Structure formats: C-alpha cells, structure tokens
C-alpha cells in the first residue's frame, strides 16, 4: 500500500530545496525529510482508502479491496502519518511548518476529490513544488530562492500526473507526447547554467564537479523519462502508459540531483542520485504506480 520504491523519490525534494539557499543540510533539514516522507506516505494510504470502490473493480489485487488491509486501518494510517509529518515539520521551525501545513492540505484535497477533476494534475504538481520549498524553509527559513527549482519540479510532476490519469484505460497519443516535449524542455533548461547561481570556487578544478553533475543528472532524467513516454505515444495502451508513469516517477530522482547540482550542491546531488539504483531495485518487487 505504501509503495516503497516511490518513497526514494521524496528526500531529493527537500535536498533540492535546501541547495537553493546555499545552506548546509543540518538537523532541521533532516526533520524536513522525515516530515516529507510521512506526508508522502499519508497520501499513499489515503489514496487507497479513497479509491477502495474503484480499485475493487479495476485493481482488485490492491491491499484494501483484496482484504489484506481494512479501510479503517488505511484511513487511520493516513491520519497518523499526517500528524507525524506536521509534528516533524514543527521541529524544523515555524517556516517549515508554514509550508508543511498547505502541503498536507494539498495531499488530502487531491486524494479526496481533486484527482478526479481537471485540477488533479495541478494539485499534484503543487504538492511536489511545496515539498521542495519545505527543504528551503527548514534549512534557511526562506523559500524565494527555491521558487525556480520548485517550478521545474512542479512542471515535471504536472506532465507525469496528466499521463497517469490514463494508466488503467489507456488514452490518446497527445498526452505522452506532451510529457515527452516537457521532458525535452526541462532537460534543455537544466543543462544551461542559470545566471547568478554559480557558487564561489567553480573556476577551480574541483568546481567543475557541480556542472558535470548537473549535465549528467539532466541527461539521466531525459533517458529515464523520454523512452517510455515515446513508447506510450506510439501505443497509448494501459501497459505502456503504466510503464511511462513508472519511468516518469523514477526520472524524478535524477531531476532532483540535477537541481541540487544546478544550485551548487554537488554532495546533495550525489546523495540524491544514489537513491536511484535503490528505487530501481525495489521497483522489481513492488510497483511504483
């Protein structure tokens, strides 16, 4: 129910946000990561509770309709994880809690109704963007420097969520084609050096690591997302659409690593990138969608 492989896409949000404020991740950042993980898993549990009737028809193998998890238990888990996530955000400071509260509200609003409306992808994109801003708020108490990175991550999430709306019944080629074009545009933006963000010391030999990681992360992002999107555009059947969604989810990690490197935080970029093989390993046992 909690989809462990997808959980590896969460810490990079906070690390990418922390990187934008040029602060070294500390205890507050760790609290923010814990908060983010809890709120993400709260959304997973709440999603299965809210979709129990639909899943009984389309995905009877899921934990709730199959009887492995009672609906009341799923809802209780969602409430407990949300409360824990907000408590951890409070430990990270008032600015972090000020971001975590609307993040939690967005998660609940999405699962309880928005995902079935045209506003669904926008709400999911907002949740990812807020998750990145949480890292900046916890680390430095300000979010303005993180807005450009949050916009890039939110754009990726918007395209991915739009594709995911058709993973059970298939759709039209235009949706994955749009996601493919979005991936190309984001890759181009990531490979360009943003003005005013080059950290001191990049003229030294060691300073070349950040730009190299930024380009490597951007290319890995494109390679992970583009191919399944292209296949889904050629044949937007449910199996290929599901693969496209899985590829888009996995591509979130190299995107986060590229954002960290783009902000001048190569260590955070490497730490985030290291989560990618773990996500791929666990995805062989548990579906990410």
């Amino acid at each position: 129910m909690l989809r462990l492989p997808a959980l590896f896409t969460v810490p990079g949000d906070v690390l990418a946000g922390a990187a934008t404020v040029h602060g070294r991740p500390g205890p507050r950042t760790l609290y923010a990561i814990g908060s983010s993980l809890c709120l993400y898993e709260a959304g997973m549990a709440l999603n299965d509770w809210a979709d129990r009737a639909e899943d009984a028809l389309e995905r009877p193998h899921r934990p709730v309709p199959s009887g492995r998890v009672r609906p009341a238990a799923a809802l209780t888990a969602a409430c407990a994880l949300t409360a824990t996530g907000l408590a951890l955000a409070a430990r990270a400071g008032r600015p972090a809690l000020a971001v975590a509260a609307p993040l939690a509200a967005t998660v609940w609003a999405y699962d309880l109704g928005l995902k079935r409306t045209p506003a669904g992808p926008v709400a999911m994109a907002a949740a990812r963007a807020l998750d990145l801003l949480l890292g900046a708020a916890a680390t430095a108490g300000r979010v303005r420097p993180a807005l450009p990175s949050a916009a890039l991550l939110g754009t990726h999430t918007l395209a991915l969520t739009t594709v995911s709306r058709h993973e059970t019944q298939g759709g039209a080629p235009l949706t994955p084609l749009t996601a493919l074009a979005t991936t190309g545009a984001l890759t181009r933006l990531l490979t360009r050096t943003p003005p005013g963000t080059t950290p001191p010391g990049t003229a030294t030999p060691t300073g070349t690591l950040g730009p190299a990681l930024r380009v490597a992360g951007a290319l890995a992002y494109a390679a992970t997302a583009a191919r399944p999107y292209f296949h889904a555009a050629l044949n937007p059947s449910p199996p290929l659409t599901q693969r496209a969604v899985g590829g888009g989810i996995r591509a979130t990690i190299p995107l986060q690593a590229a954002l960290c490197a783009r902000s001048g935080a190569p260590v955070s970029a490497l730490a985030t990138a290291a989560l990618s093989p773990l996500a791929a390993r666990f995805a062989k046992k548990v579906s990410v969608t």
Side-chain angles (χ1 to χ4, degrees), residues 8-17 33 132 153 253 256-257 260 272 275:
F8 291 101
T9 70
V10 178
D13 290 347
V14 175
L15 291 176
I33 291 176
L132 188 147
L153 182 60
I253 297 177
Q256 294 162 339
C260 288
T272 300
L275 298 174

Side-chain angles (χ1 to χ4, degrees), residues 110-126:
Y110 174 83
D111 281 333
L112 295 182
L114 289 181
K115 66 182 173 183
R116 295 181 176 84
T117 72
V122 176
M124 182 63 78

Side-chain angles (χ1 to χ4, degrees), residues 48-108:
D48 278 21
W49 178 82
D51 287 355
R52 61 193 185 280
E54 178 182 331
D55 285 347
L57 298 175
E58 298 181 353
R59 309 177 190 89
H61 60 281
R62 294 292 300 146
V64 174
S66 67
R68 286 175 290 162
V69 176
R70 293 183 302 167
L75 181 59
T76 300
C79 293
L81 286 165
T82 300
T84 303
L86 292 175
L88 289 171
R91 292 294 302 271
R94 288 186 178 180
L97 181 59
V99 175
L103 171 57
T106 303
V107 169
W108 278 74

Side-chain angles (χ1 to χ4, degrees), residues 128-252:
R128 274 288 183 179
L130 285 168
D131 205 28
L132 188 147
L133 296 179
L134 177 61
T139 303
R142 51 197 175 95
V143 300
R144 181 172 294 181
L147 292 176
S149 291
L152 293 178
L153 182 60
T155 301
H156 163 71
T157 307
L158 177 64
L160 170 61
T161 308
T162 303
V163 174
S164 73
R165 292 165 71 91
H166 306 285
E167 65 176 323
T168 59
Q169 298 177 344
L174 181 60
T175 303
L177 272 178
T178 302
L180 180 61
T182 301
T183 300
L186 291 177
T187 301
R188 180 176 177 82
L189 287 172
L190 288 168
T191 53
R192 294 169 54 188
T193 302
T197 58
T198 304
T202 51
T204 67
T206 57
T208 62
L209 178 61
L213 289 175
R214 172 170 50 81
V215 174
L219 294 178
Y221 161 66
T224 305
R227 184 175 179 180
Y229 282 156
F230 179 69
H231 287 168
L234 293 177
N235 179 12
S237 62
L240 290 182
T241 302
Q242 290 168 15
R243 290 183 185 179
V245 174
I249 293 173
R250 292 191 299 273
T252 303

Side-chain angles (χ1 to χ4, degrees), residues 14-40:
V14 175
L15 291 176
T20 63
V21 293
H22 302 296
R24 180 173 298 179
R28 291 179 182 269
T29 310
L30 294 178
Y31 280 127
I33 291 176
S35 172
S36 177
L37 291 170
C38 287
L39 294 177
Y40 188 89

